Amino acid sequence: MEQPEPGQPSRLSRCLVTGASLAAVATLIMVAFTWPAVYAEPHGVPVGLVAAEPESTTIVAALEQVRPHEFTVRRYPDRDAAVQAIRHREVYGAVVVDGGPELLVASGASTIASQLIGALTGVLNPAGQTTADRPPVTDVVPLSPHDERGAGLSAFFFPLLLGGLKGGIFIAIGIQGTARRLLTLVVLTVIAGTAVAVVGQYAFRILSGSFPLNAAASGLTVAAIAATVIGLRNLFGLHGVGVGTVLIMLVGSPISAATLPVEFLPRPWGTIGQFFPPGASVSLIRAISYFPDAPTLPQWFVLCGWTLAGCLLALLTRNRPSARTRSTTPPSTKIA
């Protein structure tokens, strides 16, 4: 691209193209972060059911009639089995008839899903009964008393994402040499993961559970995002920084399920989002804080996979000119 002479104003065409391009990017950002909320609706939310026949069949039919396609019912033999399923994140809650009636929810998994399941009192409360006869709602996995609405936990993930993205951009542009970039990445991962976990768990008290696991998950989230940016920068030059930013910020973040459960996002994007660093981080840190019995190996695998892929990409492309140069802008020529 032809560069303007020093002191000369940019061409009018360049101004128009740049302005239009930036407006398009701003619009794309708005669409990416707005459309999941606009089109969010529950579909296939897993919910447990403890009831004998024929009540079980009657309740399933009533759910499908009142809330068509919103729930996927999984039957359990007793209340204890339903509670264990909630703690293992197999279901968001349960309808208990045998030994009840009672509704079980887990606000630690999602306040929105808990409200949805808690509103099913009509299924267990036939017409004509008074409000006092409605079944109790038990929160099996409540949120932290310091974050009763879950707003702090939802807000926690966005700065973590920005920290990884910002760190990756600064390392990719400001540090020369692939080995030194990766060394800086290690330092960033260790310090950022520890610091973020300290603030989230001890200062704001929105995280709970194992501190070492929270620190490791936070650091690995930063590493996965930053390593992706570094690897793409080595491959494509400075354009790779833009590619990495779009991949993480505009693709992975809106479908991460940080504010809405996976089952509320348009299909299949909620499931796809769990294979990106933001989505895996959201599920992993939530599980560490509230669901220590739930399996977390898939989330660890996703974050480690992105981190290793970014580092390998950086190493394999370390001899490319784009990996060694500071800028794609040609140096200015000296005037004799």
Side-chain angles (χ1 to χ4, degrees):
M1 181 180 295
E2 183 181 352
Q3 301 295 316
E5 293 294 331
Q8 294 296 320
S10 298
R11 290 185 176 182
L12 179 60
S13 59
R14 181 181 178 87
C15 296
L16 295 176
V17 171
T18 301
S21 300
L22 293 176
V25 170
T27 303
L28 181 61
I29 294 174
M30 185 276 294
V31 171
F33 281 91
T34 303
W35 73 267
V38 172
Y39 292 100
E41 58 180 4
H43 43 74
V45 177
V47 61
L49 174 62
V50 180
E53 295 291 353
E55 283 182 302
S56 177
T57 302
T58 301
I59 291 175
V60 172
L63 283 176
E64 187 60 26
Q65 181 178 7
V66 177
R67 302 287 181 85
H69 311 299
E70 290 189 5
F71 295 99
T72 296
V73 178
R74 299 178 182 176
R75 302 180 184 182
Y76 297 96
D78 52 43
R79 183 184 186 277
D80 290 340
V83 169
Q84 285 299 108
I86 293 172
R87 295 188 184 280
H88 283 81
R89 303 198 74 181
E90 297 176 8
V91 293
Y92 283 96
V95 178
V96 179
V97 176
D98 291 353
E102 183 183 14
L103 290 172
L104 306 178
V105 299
S107 59
S110 167
T111 55
I112 296 176
S114 296
Q115 293 169 3
L116 183 70
I117 296 172
L120 296 178
T121 53
V123 176
L124 300 178
N125 184 41
Q129 290 188 357
T130 63
T131 303
D133 297 323
R134 292 180 178 177
V137 178
T138 303
D139 197 342
V140 177
V141 186
L143 287 162
S144 166
H146 304 285
D147 186 26
E148 295 180 348
R149 294 179 299 173
L153 186 61
S154 298
F156 173 82
F157 298 109
F158 194 67
L160 194 62
L161 181 153
L162 286 181
L165 199 58
K166 179 180 177 181
I169 292 173
F170 278 142
I171 293 173
I173 296 177
I175 302 297
Q176 301 306 303
T178 298
R180 286 173 173 78
R181 286 173 185 157
L182 296 183
L183 174 61
T184 309
L185 173 65
V186 173
V187 175
L188 169 68
T189 299
V190 174
I191 296 178
T194 303
V196 167
V198 167
V199 173
Q201 190 156 352
Y202 297 118
F204 295 157
R205 290 184 283 185
I206 57 178
L207 300 180
S208 57
S210 168
F211 173 79
L213 287 180
N214 278 322
S218 300
L220 194 55
T221 299
V222 172
I225 295 172
T228 300
V229 174
I230 294 169
L232 291 173
R233 188 259 189 263
N234 271 23
L235 181 63
F236 298 117
L238 292 184
H239 297 295
V241 175
V243 173
T245 302
V246 169
L247 191 64
I248 298 299
M249 180 64 72
L250 298 187
V251 178
S253 181
I255 56 177
S256 65
T259 57
L260 292 171
V262 171
E263 292 79 9
F264 280 65
L265 296 173
R267 292 180 175 177
W269 295 107
T271 301
I272 294 174
Q274 297 305 296
F275 293 93
F276 282 80
S281 173
V282 167
S283 296
L284 178 59
I285 293 177
R286 188 181 293 274
I288 293 172
S289 290
Y290 294 109
F291 299 90
D293 297 329
T296 57
L297 186 59
Q299 289 79 33
W300 288 110
F301 181 80
V302 169
L303 292 176
C304 288
W306 281 82
T307 303
L308 291 176
C311 292
L312 286 175
L313 183 60
L315 290 172
L316 293 175
T317 57
R318 63 185 181 277
N319 293 324
R320 292 174 62 91
S322 58
R324 298 192 300 267
T325 57
R326 178 180 298 274
S327 168
T328 57
T329 304
S332 58
T333 57
K334 296 182 179 180
I335 300 177

